[in-house]
């Protein structure tokens, strides 16, 4: 059972956060919008950051996306939840990591992986500095939302009053203290691509997912490959070949295929849309794609555009 230490937490002594006498499990609120949970299992530690989208979410009982994987793999977990996007920049969160820098908790594990998506990805990249030689896996993260530094990202107006520069900024210099950093993003999302560019360092590996949009974590989970990617990252064996081999699963994912065709239609790339529809229809046998292909082909032929013949494999 996870022990609730919220009544025992001493706000005046943040070093209590990393006392080796802490029990093997605990959970408590850092403040009304941030919750922490620790469970000691095996020698591999997952430090995960996740923003709960529901304003009234019960952070104390909410299951995180990777909880089941951690139980299955017997990983120890240190998880941080926020109520909405806070980028985990609250003073209480910063103080907790200050205590961990001075303590030994993170030194007690063979492997430490910091993980997060979006605002959680920002936190994973930022606080990995507290555990030198750890690994980081960040999905569509924001490097900073300081309007003086990133005025081109206007998607999160609630972030403009947050100080992103004072403590633990995910600069290339700070990231270089990690053993490996993987940043997964869709290069067709201009803001995400620019953030990824700001995060490049000597240890950063860009993993590009075209046509996946900003919600990459959700998409990878729907493909059934998110857990495999996280496991490879924990083991330190994630590389472009492993990642893109796993990513081929999207070729048969109905949601991805519908989204791809929809984007081509919205962009009015009719010839490419026809080629993609034909490929999907023939390869998967889904008749709706073949019917749509016939419609687009007729429209193109009426406009005097000929579709190239399909190549037959030798």
């Amino acid at each position: 059972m996870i022990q609730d230490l919220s009544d025992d937490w001493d706000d005046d002594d943040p070093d209590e956060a990393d006392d080796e006498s802490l029990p093997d499990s605990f959970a408590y609120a850092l403040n009304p919008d941030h919750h922490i949970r620790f469970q000691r299992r095996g020698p591999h530690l997952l430090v995960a950051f996740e923003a709960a989208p529901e304003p009234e979410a019960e952070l104390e009982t909410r299951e995180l996306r990777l909880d089941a994987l951690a139980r299955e793999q017997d990983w120890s977990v240190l998880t941080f939840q926020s109520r909405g996007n806070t980028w985990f920049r609250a003073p209480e969160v910063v103080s907790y990591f200050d205590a961990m820098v001075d303590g030994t908790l993170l030194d007690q594990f063979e492997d430490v992986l910091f993980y997060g998506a979006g605002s959680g990805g920002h936190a994973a990249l930022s606080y990995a500095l507290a555990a030198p030689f750890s690994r980081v896996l960040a999905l569509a993260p924001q490097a900073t939302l300081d309007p003086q530094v990133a005025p081109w990202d206007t998607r999160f107006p609630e972030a403009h009053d947050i100080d992103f520069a004072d403590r633990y900024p995910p600069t290339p210099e700070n990231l270089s203290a990690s053993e490996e950093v993987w940043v997964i993003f869709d290069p067709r999302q201009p803001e995400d691509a620019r953030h990824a560019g700001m995060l490049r360092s000597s240890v950063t590996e860009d993993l590009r997912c075209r046509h996946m949009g900003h919600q990459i974590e959700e998409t990878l989970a729907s493909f059934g490959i998110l857990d495999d990617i996280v496991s490879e990252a924990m083991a330190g064996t994630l590389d472009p070949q492993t990642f893109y081999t796993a990513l081929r699963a999207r070729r048969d994912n109905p949601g991805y295929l519908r989204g791809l065709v929809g984007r081509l239609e919205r962009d009015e790339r009719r010839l490419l849309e026809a080629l993609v529809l034909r490929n999907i229809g023939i390869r998967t046998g889904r008749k709706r794609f073949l019917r749509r292909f016939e419609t687009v082909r007729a429209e193109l032929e009426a406009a005097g555009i000929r579709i190239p013949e399909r190549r037959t494999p030798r």
Side-chain angles (χ1 to χ4, degrees), residues 46-61:
L46 174 68
V47 184
F49 301 84
E50 186 169 314
E54 313 88 0
E56 304 302 322
E58 295 291 337
L59 301 183
E60 298 80 0
T61 58

Side-chain angles (χ1 to χ4, degrees), residues 6-311:
S6 56
D7 293 335
D8 300 328
W9 174 253
D10 183 355
D11 289 327
D12 296 326
D13 185 12
D15 289 337
E16 186 176 341
D18 209 13
D19 189 338
E20 288 193 42
S21 67
L22 284 174
D24 285 344
S25 61
F26 59 82
Y28 56 84
L30 289 171
N31 65 24
D33 293 324
H34 295 87
H35 190 269
I36 184 175
R37 177 163 52 88
F38 174 70
Q39 176 72 57
R40 189 188 298 276
R41 297 189 185 104
H44 310 293
L45 175 66
L46 174 68
V47 184
F49 301 84
E50 186 169 314
E54 313 88 0
E56 304 302 322
E58 295 291 337
L59 301 183
E60 298 80 0
T61 58
R62 183 174 176 271
E63 181 90 351
L64 274 71
R65 183 180 293 279
L66 296 182
D67 279 351
L69 173 65
R71 288 192 295 268
E72 176 187 310
Q73 298 292 334
D74 200 35
W75 292 342
S76 299
V77 291
L78 178 64
T79 59
F80 296 81
Q81 289 192 79
S82 66
R83 201 178 307 279
N85 284 325
T86 68
W87 289 267
F88 298 89
R89 286 279 162 189
E92 295 85 353
V93 180
V94 173
S95 295
Y96 193 92
F97 280 96
D98 285 345
M100 286 214 283
V101 168
D102 296 331
T104 62
L105 176 62
L106 297 178
D107 296 331
Q108 298 171 25
F109 299 92
E110 293 178 10
D111 295 297
V112 179
L113 175 67
F114 284 74
Y115 170 86
S119 62
H122 168 85
L125 292 160
S126 298
Y127 295 117
L129 185 63
F133 307 109
S134 59
R135 304 184 182 104
V136 187
L137 178 60
L139 281 59
Q142 295 86 50
T144 179
L145 290 170
D146 184 334
Q148 300 300 315
V149 180
W152 35 264
D153 194 342
T154 59
R155 297 174 297 177
F156 308 101
E158 69 272 24
H160 289 172
D161 293 330
I162 295 176
D163 187 346
F164 285 89
D166 182 43
R167 306 296 307 283
Y168 300 99
T171 62
E173 294 76 18
N174 285 351
L175 292 176
S176 65
S178 300
E179 180 177 311
E180 295 176 277
V181 176
W182 298 280
V183 177
I184 303 178
F185 65 100
D186 183 346
R188 289 175 58 88
Q189 297 289 310
E191 296 90 352
D192 291 346
R194 293 186 72 168
H195 284 296
M198 297 174 70
L199 295 166
R200 293 196 180 107
S201 72
S202 59
V203 298
T204 302
E205 182 84 62
D206 285 351
L207 298 173
R208 296 170 172 82
C209 301
R210 293 177 65 82
H211 303 294
M212 282 197 176
H214 179 68
Q215 301 297 331
I216 287 179
E217 183 183 50
E218 197 72 39
T219 304
L220 293 177
S222 72
F223 291 175
I225 61 175
L226 178 63
D227 286 2
D228 292 339
I229 292 169
V230 175
S231 296
E232 295 282 358
M234 176 67 83
T237 54
L238 183 61
D239 57 27
Q241 181 177 353
T242 302
F243 178 74
Y244 292 115
T245 297
L247 203 59
R248 287 179 190 148
R250 67 181 177 175
R251 286 165 47 90
D252 298 317
N253 182 274
Y256 169 78
L257 297 175
R258 287 194 299 270
L260 174 59
V261 171
R263 280 189 290 274
L264 293 174
E265 183 178 4
R266 288 192 299 273
D267 294 345
E268 298 184 351
R269 303 180 68 181
R270 306 311 301 281
L271 180 57
L272 184 55
E273 179 189 355
L275 295 173
V276 170
L277 285 165
R278 183 175 65 184
N279 176 273
I280 295 171
I282 293 174
R283 182 167 52 80
T284 67
R286 294 190 175 102
K287 295 182 179 179
R288 58 170 297 196
F289 290 101
L290 290 173
R291 288 195 296 268
R292 176 61 182 165
F293 165 69
E294 294 297 339
T295 299
V296 175
R297 179 170 66 174
E299 294 173 355
L300 289 171
E301 289 179 349
I305 301 173
R306 178 178 172 275
I307 298 177
E309 294 294 327
R310 183 171 181 266
R311 294 181 180 179

